[in-house]
Amino acid sequence: MPGHRDPFAASAAELGGIAAEMGIDAAEIAARRAFLELEEADAQRLRAMRDKLAAAHHGFADGFYEYLRRLPELAALLPDDATVARLKAAHGRYFDSLVAGDYGEAYVAGRLRVGMTHARIGLTPKWYVGAFRKYLSDMLRATWDATGGEFESFQPAFDALLKVVMLDLGLTLDTYIHADTRAIALRDRAIESSVNGIFIADATPPECRLSYVNAAFSNILGSPREAVLGQPCLCTGDDDGFAVIRDAIAAGRDGYTTLSRTRPDGSPQWIELFLAPVRGDGGVISHYVGILNDVTERKEAEAQLAFLAHHDRLTGLPNRAYFDQRLGQVLAGANRGQGFALCFVDLDRFKVINDSLGHGAGDAVLVEVARRIAGVCRGGDTLVRLAGDEFVILIEGAGESGDAAAVAERVLQALSRPVSAAGRDVDVAASLGIALCPDDGRDAETLLRNADAAMYAAKAAGRNTFRFYDEAMNRRARLRLSFEADLRRAAARGQLELFYQPQLRGDDGALVGAEALLRWRHPERGLVSPLEFIPVAEEAGIIAELGEWALREAARQIADWRRRGVAVPRVAVNLSARQFHAPDLVERVTRILAEAEVPSAWIELEITESTAMQDPAGAVRMLQRLREHGLEVAMDDFGTGHSSLGMLRTLPIDVLKLDRSFVQHLPASGTDAAVATAVVTLARQLGLAVVAEGVETPAQRAFLADLGCDRLQGFLFARPLPAAEVEAWLLRHRGDAGSGSRAGRAPILAGISSCTTPS
């Protein structure tokens, strides 16, 4: 204990507080002395011997510490000679005070100091009692000598010393008891104040009745304390959710489970429960202590995420992941002669609705269209939203055209009535394409391709109709081939360009980067939407070339910006599935960056959930290789239905992009708020940054910023802009930040409304 303060030191205020708590005042001291018959005559006898016992006290201290250092339990408290010397001096003063003859309040305070010190350093009362025993034994001869060797003088003198020792011993033991009482009271207050529900149950089977519950227990279960005490422990219920706990009780070990119950008001509740046995003498279990928490909000958020893994967030319909599973099952039946049909449904001119009325109105139309189509499907059919305004109906048991045509007619009839959106009636129509199994294909890829071709045939026939797949469609497919040919030559002809959408920091609106978005400016069609040419590029097998062009152009642009002092910290570039799974992806990316003299830190790569989930193990290996080269990767469109939370934990990604479908109804939707909170919390636990897409309102921005979302992106701040317009936007944004307002809290949109290209 070198360097520590005197172990017997304590502040007067501390000692006064302890004495007051213990009720040791002048009256109590007088009462204790009277009980011990410690009178003034005793004090006089001890004062008379004080000088004669001084040498004996010092001799006792030397021998006493030699004895203590031979005991393993105490040797650790006496590590060196300096410590022993300091303690011997302190104890010398202590034992000298025993015969000082002053046993009032100051003396009692000193005794309390000793008890406090021993309790603080962990010296149990048995050592204190043993020390006094040895002291009295050693002082026996010294007292005999000090009284002249006459029993008549020795007996009252030693009796006086014994009275003082007993006074000390009583005070010190009371200090230990008081310390234990304070510790127990503190523990009780902590348990009672805990936000976790805590209970104690007797181990008497079969009911294990409750003997203690804290306030949080009553609050969580909605039952008053007096109503549950003495009742059977909830761990003994018959519900299957208790099986794990019952097994733990039977085995005498800890148990953990999550339970579903119904609150007194009838609402569902999820309880997380931990139970542990308490063993008494001989290892026999005497009680059980349990901790429970209300995890209803977490379970509901998890259930929502699980639902979204196989369902479309906007319409609630099954999504592509669910469709792929179901189609595989139905194809297995088709191999046994059970035919079926696939009906593609694509809304006609839906882009006009989005562009003229806004995405909110477009979403309202999609929700109503989904409701109407679902209403006319047969009980065994499966309606799925694939993406955007594309739906597909899996019509089971319809190997002939008649049943499929009847479903298609009902769909067209259901969509014939206008849909109310944005305060007006919107006319909606659709083109439907039907492929029959086995006539038009016996595998998923062929059937999907042929149903898609039939849908394009319906559009070519004037829209708002349906067509079955037939060989004549191959001729009409040549039109698409021409489109593909133009797309293949677009880069060489200088028709491709990148638009950039800024990403701002959530807390203060500072620019943290921009996402690069590919655009095709066709000489006849004008600016072609990515929704039109990206699927064609994927089908034509040229998506990798387009993606590589986009990465090279993004690297060139950020290098140019940096050279000219344009403060764009980082550009995010999308990778297609074909690019990501290419064996030489890392070599291609690093070569492009090296040619542009761009550090890895300036570029962020984005992949979608579906891209990663095509080959999870391969995705992990590829992501690790990219990380080794200093490249960060963001997962785009998180929550749209492909990845599992367990798989997400294993993917070495850096950024999670919260899909706009999670953002668009914030903060009004409690469910969306819970899901957004769960996603951000999950990202925090995994050490990931979070980018929220589709931020369109100040309320959404404020909610996400307060939630701790790292980056924000959306029309509230800027639409995707050509490079030159991005520079102009940056100047306005920097000016807005420098005006004293928080950037992003009052985003500047003036001057960019002319660019209406969707992200």
Side-chain angles (χ1 to χ4, degrees):
M1 298 179 289
H4 292 144
R5 67 173 186 171
D6 184 340
F8 300 113
S11 68
E14 186 177 11
L15 291 171
I18 295 293
E21 289 180 18
M22 296 174 63
I24 301 178
D25 53 13
E28 173 64 15
I29 295 171
R32 293 190 181 209
R33 289 184 57 176
F35 183 77
L36 292 169
E37 299 179 350
L38 178 58
E39 301 172 347
E40 179 59 28
D42 296 305
Q44 292 176 1
R45 291 187 183 95
L46 294 174
R47 279 195 294 269
M49 296 190 302
R50 184 175 187 181
D51 292 339
K52 296 178 181 179
L53 294 179
H57 284 156
H58 293 296
F60 166 75
D62 292 338
F64 182 59
Y65 275 92
E66 289 179 7
Y67 169 70
L68 292 183
R69 297 187 80 176
R70 294 198 299 268
L71 300 176
E73 298 91 334
L74 300 180
L77 301 176
L78 308 167
D80 51 53
D81 292 340
T83 300
V84 172
R86 188 171 65 255
L87 292 175
K88 283 170 60 176
H91 272 106
R93 294 190 298 272
Y94 168 74
F95 287 119
D96 184 60
S97 69
L98 286 173
V99 293
D102 182 6
Y103 309 112
E105 293 186 39
Y107 180 85
V108 169
R111 302 292 80 81
L112 294 178
R113 179 186 300 117
V114 173
M116 288 171 53
T117 301
H118 287 178
R120 185 178 296 128
I121 66 176
L123 198 63
T124 57
K126 66 180 180 180
W127 304 110
Y128 191 76
V129 173
F132 266 121
R133 194 283 312 165
K134 187 167 179 57
Y135 172 78
L136 289 172
S137 178
D138 287 5
M139 289 300 108
L140 194 63
R141 169 59 67 180
T143 306
W144 177 267
D145 293 340
T147 56
E150 296 181 358
F151 184 77
E152 289 76 9
S153 300
F154 164 77
Q155 189 273 334
F158 193 79
D159 186 48
L161 181 59
L162 185 61
K163 293 174 184 179
V164 175
V165 168
M166 291 302 104
L167 175 65
D168 280 24
L169 190 57
L171 289 169
T172 305
L173 293 179
D174 282 349
T175 306
Y176 273 95
I177 294 170
H178 177 70
D180 288 342
T181 303
R182 294 180 76 192
I184 292 171
L186 178 61
R187 181 187 62 201
D188 289 345
R189 288 196 299 271
I191 292 174
E192 193 62 27
S193 303
S194 173
V195 297
N196 300 315
I198 300 174
F199 65 90
I200 300 174
D202 295 331
T204 306
E207 295 181 326
C208 300
R209 294 185 179 274
L210 293 169
S211 58
Y212 169 81
V213 299
N214 69 347
F217 180 98
S218 299
N219 293 335
I220 290 172
L221 295 186
S223 300
R225 191 182 318 213
E226 58 272 15
V228 297
L229 287 176
Q231 297 299 313
C233 175
L234 78 160
C235 305
T236 59
D238 294 329
D239 190 282
D240 288 343
F242 295 101
V244 173
I245 297 298
R246 290 198 300 270
D247 291 346
I249 291 175
R253 55 174 171 77
D254 296 350
Y256 169 82
T257 189
T258 305
L259 308 171
S260 175
R261 66 183 295 270
T262 301
R263 293 189 179 97
D265 63 4
S267 61
Q269 183 183 34
W270 284 92
I271 298 294
E272 187 178 61
L273 173 64
F274 174 81
L275 188 76
V278 178
R279 299 182 185 274
D281 295 339
V284 178
I285 297 175
S286 61
H287 294 82
Y288 292 99
V289 62
I291 300 175
L292 55 86
N293 290 291
D294 188 331
V295 293
T296 305
E297 290 187 4
R298 189 190 77 193
K299 294 293 290 186
E300 289 176 347
E302 290 174 353
Q304 181 69 5
L305 287 174
F307 176 82
L308 292 175
H310 290 91
H311 290 79
D312 172 53
R313 175 64 188 86
L314 178 64
T315 64
L317 294 177
N319 61 12
R320 179 61 182 265
Y322 179 91
F323 174 72
D324 290 343
Q325 295 178 7
R326 184 64 188 141
L327 181 56
Q329 295 169 355
V330 175
L331 278 170
N335 293 332
R336 298 189 294 270
Q338 301 172 4
F340 66 91
L342 286 185
C343 178
F344 256 90
V345 181
D346 187 273
L347 299 187
D348 296 332
R349 299 184 177 88
F350 180 71
K351 185 177 182 297
V352 175
I353 297 175
N354 267 339
D355 290 346
S356 60
L357 300 181
H359 288 290
D363 288 348
V365 169
L366 290 174
V367 170
E368 177 61 15
V369 166
R371 188 191 68 80
R372 292 188 187 182
I373 297 177
V376 299
C377 288
R378 306 176 311 168
D381 298 339
T382 302
L383 172 62
V384 175
R385 183 189 179 201
L386 287 186
D389 60 337
E390 293 182 346
F391 301 82
V392 65
I393 308 171
L394 198 163
I395 309 172
E396 297 189 46
E400 302 294 333
S401 61
D403 290 339
V407 172
E409 290 283 4
R410 290 198 297 271
V411 170
L412 293 174
Q413 181 63 31
L415 299 181
S416 63
R417 304 185 309 277
V419 174
S420 178
R424 58 179 294 177
D425 289 338
V426 179
D427 291 325
V428 178
S431 298
L432 283 62
I434 303 171
L436 303 176
C437 179
D439 293 349
D440 299 327
R442 296 177 177 271
D443 60 85
E445 182 179 357
T446 301
L447 286 168
L448 287 167
R449 183 177 62 248
N450 289 344
D452 185 58
M455 180 270 295
Y456 276 104
K459 287 188 179 294
R463 305 176 187 267
N464 196 29
T465 187
F466 68 90
R467 288 290 185 269
F468 285 91
Y469 176 80
D470 59 50
E471 288 299 326
M473 293 177 186
N474 289 325
R475 293 191 297 272
R476 293 188 287 274
R478 294 193 185 99
L479 296 175
R480 293 192 67 189
L481 291 176
S482 175
F483 185 81
E484 290 177 15
D486 289 345
L487 183 57
R488 291 178 185 276
R489 299 177 180 87
R493 293 173 176 174
Q495 297 171 0
L496 297 180
E497 61 182 293
L498 289 183
F499 280 30
Y500 300 86
Q501 188 171 34
Q503 295 177 340
L504 307 183
R505 196 157 55 210
D507 55 359
D508 61 4
L511 182 74
V512 293
E515 181 181 4
L517 300 164
L518 184 61
R519 297 293 186 260
W520 178 19
R521 200 175 293 279
H522 192 278
E524 297 174 359
R525 296 170 176 261
L527 199 61
V528 182
S529 168
L531 298 178
E532 295 183 43
F533 71 83
I534 291 298
V536 174
E538 290 175 339
E539 293 176 9
I542 60 173
I543 189 65
E545 288 82 354
L546 297 184
E548 190 164 321
W549 180 91
L551 178 60
R552 183 174 285 106
E553 174 61 18
R556 184 203 64 77
Q557 183 63 69
I558 194 171
D560 177 64
W561 276 334
R562 289 296 190 98
R563 280 193 298 270
R564 293 188 291 108
V566 179
V568 178
R570 177 180 297 178
V571 170
V573 183
N574 293 278
L575 292 181
S576 67
R578 187 184 297 269
Q579 279 179 284
F580 180 72
H581 292 292
D584 61 345
L585 170 66
V586 175
E587 290 75 12
R588 287 176 177 268
V589 171
T590 54
R591 183 172 61 251
I592 289 172
L593 298 186
E595 290 172 354
E597 298 182 353
V598 169
S600 300
W602 293 5
I603 296 293
E604 181 180 276
L605 303 177
E606 290 188 7
I607 62 172
T608 63
E609 284 187 72
S610 57
T611 295
M613 291 304 104
Q614 288 179 11
D615 178 11
V620 170
R621 291 191 296 270
M622 183 61 74
L623 290 169
Q624 289 173 340
R625 292 185 60 200
L626 290 170
R627 176 170 286 181
E628 290 170 359
H629 286 78
L631 289 157
E632 292 191 355
V633 178
M635 177 175 280
D636 199 5
D637 301 333
F638 177 70
T640 55
H642 297 87
S643 69
S644 68
L645 299 183
M647 189 62 208
L648 182 62
R649 185 179 57 203
T650 67
L651 291 174
I653 60 174
D654 306 280
V655 180
L656 205 59
K657 297 197 73 175
L658 189 63
D659 187 71
R660 70 180 302 272
S661 62
F662 290 84
V663 174
Q664 59 187 344
H665 298 299
L666 292 176
S669 170
T671 300
D672 287 348
V675 171
T677 301
V679 171
V680 173
T681 301
L682 173 66
R684 286 284 175 272
Q685 293 175 345
L686 296 177
L688 307 178
V690 181
V691 180
E693 298 181 298
V695 180
E696 297 184 0
T697 69
Q700 292 169 357
R701 185 244 181 254
F703 177 86
L704 292 165
D706 292 341
L707 192 61
C709 198
D710 303 280
R711 310 176 201 168
L712 305 178
Q713 175 181 347
F715 286 2
L716 178 65
F717 313 107
R719 295 174 179 270
L721 304 169
E725 293 185 36
V726 168
E727 296 184 31
W729 182 91
L730 284 172
L731 290 174
R732 291 193 298 273
H733 181 74
R734 189 158 51 236
D736 179 67
S739 67
S741 65
R742 288 184 64 185
R745 289 288 189 183
I748 297 176
L749 298 178
I752 63 173
S753 59
S754 61
C755 180
T756 59
T757 305
S759 61

